[in-house]
Amino acid sequence: MPLKLGVWKLGGEPTPVSFSPIDSEDRLEEALYQDISILDSGLMVVGRQVGTAHGTRVDLLAMNSEGDLAVIELKRDRTPREVVAQVLDYASWVENLSYDQITEIHQDQNPDLHFEEAFADAFDAPVPEALNESHDLIVVAAELDPSTERIIDYLSSSHGVPINAVFFRHFRDNDEEYLARSWLTDPKNVEVSAESQPRRGKKEPWNEQDFYVSFGVGEHRTWEDARRYGFVSGGQGRWYSQTLEQLFPGARVFVHIPGEGYVGVGTVEEEAVPVKEFTVSVDGKTRTVLEAPLKAPSMGENAGDPEKSEYLVRVDWTETRSREDAIWEKGMFANQNTACKLRNRFTLDRLTSHFGLGE
């Protein structure tokens, strides 16, 4: 049971401020739509009055920084048990939403703002590669009867259903109005219960060709060397080099320097090899890259250790640009892995345009 909330006005003798039902739940929905932080500062709105495949409408569909969805449903004139049943029905629809369906819902209501840009605005981070790995169900009401509270608590604590209720009290003091919020269950406790359930992510489809490569510049590798000799690389630990094994001849790579942007696109010509085996042409002669003039002072460090060696992948560059001219737009994809499949349609569309690749 939530704590009972009271408000008193100070100044002379303390005077209680009376609670009254908000005159229209549409006003509350509008307030949440305009500023979802009233409910939870860690959410962004994806859509309002979102039509489902069953002919019903979700009051508000939101998302957190991990790409998980939240169904927010106001009680309105339904009985508490009816609204709980409704939100569970919505959950059966939400859990199957694909990456593309989620972005389409947002785009339909925000035609001038890409989903990826909105996500970056809200969380100052790119969209995760997988969306909708989990979801939350939130019932918004002024109050619930004890049996409905018990049902919600049972579903959450005993079965890991990520459901909770939030209560908004409306207070009026002369011409001033206030909203106060309290939760049926601490949201952190609901999150812990839900973590026991499997997470199933929804990713954008992959075109079986394009990869993202994170090229961390430093003493072991420089972008100047990579442009000159035609390669991407990673190493100084298997975590950094093993993902390069995904790259196959004929694959297309888009190269990103962390904190700067995208600087090149090209076609993979050979699979990853240890740095001591990678050859280049210098003055018409074939040499190992470690025998060639290099800007990176320590590319050969750990060359004899298969676990720590730098690994290189030969690339035929389609276009490269200097670090100063790197391409970056709010909402573009970035990832800590050295190489991964590039699925993000927004990023691919923008890079196709910037690099003049055509379709």
Side-chain angles (χ1 to χ4, degrees):
M1 179 177 293
L3 296 174
K4 185 176 181 180
L5 181 69
V7 177
W8 284 263
K9 182 178 181 179
L10 298 179
E13 183 177 350
T15 305
V17 178
S18 299
F19 159 73
S20 62
I22 194 166
D23 53 11
S24 168
E25 288 199 311
D26 288 339
R27 283 188 65 201
L28 179 55
E29 181 185 314
E30 178 66 23
L32 295 176
Y33 177 69
Q34 294 297 331
D35 186 0
I36 195 63
S37 67
I38 296 172
L39 176 68
D40 186 334
S41 60
L43 293 176
M44 64 167 272
V45 174
V46 175
R48 178 184 186 185
Q49 291 298 311
V50 177
T52 73
H54 313 305
T56 53
R57 290 187 174 275
V58 177
D59 286 338
L60 292 169
L61 186 65
M63 176 175 286
N64 65 19
S65 61
E66 295 182 357
D68 296 332
L69 292 173
V71 173
I72 302 165
E73 190 69 7
L74 280 69
K75 175 179 173 293
R76 302 190 187 279
D77 57 355
R78 291 167 291 184
T79 67
R81 292 192 184 192
E82 285 175 339
V83 75
V84 170
Q86 184 70 76
V87 81
L88 290 174
D89 185 40
Y90 290 154
S92 68
W93 171 73
V94 163
E95 76 166 349
N96 294 313
L97 288 179
S98 68
Y99 194 113
D100 286 345
Q101 287 173 313
I102 293 168
T103 58
E104 285 172 9
I105 289 169
H106 181 272
Q107 206 66 39
D108 284 346
Q109 299 195 15
N110 303 273
D112 298 325
L113 181 64
H114 284 283
F115 169 76
E116 289 81 1
E117 294 174 305
F119 192 95
D121 281 339
F123 304 117
D124 194 27
V127 177
E129 187 176 5
L131 297 184
N132 197 18
E133 290 189 305
S134 182
H135 56 264
D136 292 321
L137 309 174
I138 303 171
V139 176
V140 177
E143 58 184 1
L144 292 176
D145 63 276
S147 66
T148 305
E149 291 181 6
R150 290 195 299 270
I151 291 170
I152 291 177
D153 181 66
Y154 172 74
L155 290 171
S156 174
S157 61
S158 298
H159 293 280
V161 177
I163 186 170
N164 204 350
V166 61
F167 303 93
F168 281 98
R169 265 62 171 188
H170 176 249
F171 297 89
R172 185 186 297 275
D173 180 32
N174 295 322
D175 294 332
E176 300 294 329
E177 295 180 274
Y178 306 91
L179 278 177
R181 183 197 69 197
S182 59
W183 291 90
L184 175 64
T185 304
D186 186 333
K188 293 181 180 178
N189 294 338
V190 174
E191 181 179 339
V192 169
S193 297
E195 284 178 352
S196 63
Q197 303 303 307
R199 295 174 66 85
R200 301 188 302 170
K202 311 300 188 301
K203 296 182 179 180
E204 287 187 277
W206 184 50
N207 62 16
E208 301 186 4
Q209 175 192 17
D210 290 326
F211 286 86
Y212 163 93
V213 172
S214 177
F215 193 90
V217 297
E219 62 179 347
H220 298 106
R221 72 197 68 85
T222 70
W223 179 233
E224 292 83 0
D225 291 336
R227 294 176 79 185
R228 178 178 180 181
Y229 297 117
F231 67 83
V232 293
S233 69
Q236 312 315 308
R238 281 297 287 161
W239 191 91
Y240 299 101
S241 61
Q242 64 184 356
T243 56
L244 292 171
E245 296 172 4
Q246 300 177 73
L247 305 180
F248 54 85
R252 185 167 64 173
V253 292
F254 290 88
V255 182
H256 174 263
I257 296 178
E260 298 183 20
Y262 286 87
V263 291
V265 57
T267 302
V268 173
E269 294 188 305
E270 298 173 3
E271 296 178 350
V273 297
V275 63
K276 64 182 181 180
E277 298 178 15
F278 190 83
T279 60
V280 297
S281 177
V282 180
D283 297 330
K285 296 182 179 180
T286 299
R287 303 170 180 254
T288 68
V289 72
L290 295 179
E291 298 174 309
L294 293 171
K295 295 287 187 180
S298 304
M299 177 170 266
E301 185 176 353
N302 299 312
D305 184 345
E307 293 297 312
K308 295 183 179 179
S309 171
E310 191 79 3
Y311 283 76
L312 280 68
V313 176
R314 193 177 306 280
V315 175
D316 178 19
W317 295 119
T318 304
E319 183 183 339
T320 63
R321 54 177 62 197
S322 68
R323 293 169 62 182
E324 291 75 22
D325 293 326
I327 300 165
W328 184 255
E329 293 185 18
K330 180 174 60 181
M332 278 185 165
F333 176 81
N335 190 285
Q336 62 183 346
N337 291 307
T338 303
C340 65
K341 296 171 182 176
L342 183 53
R343 306 169 182 269
N344 188 273
R345 189 71 249 171
F346 171 77
T347 301
L348 283 170
D349 287 345
R350 300 308 300 142
L351 291 178
T352 295
S353 174
H354 281 294
F355 284 125
L357 301 177
E359 288 296 336

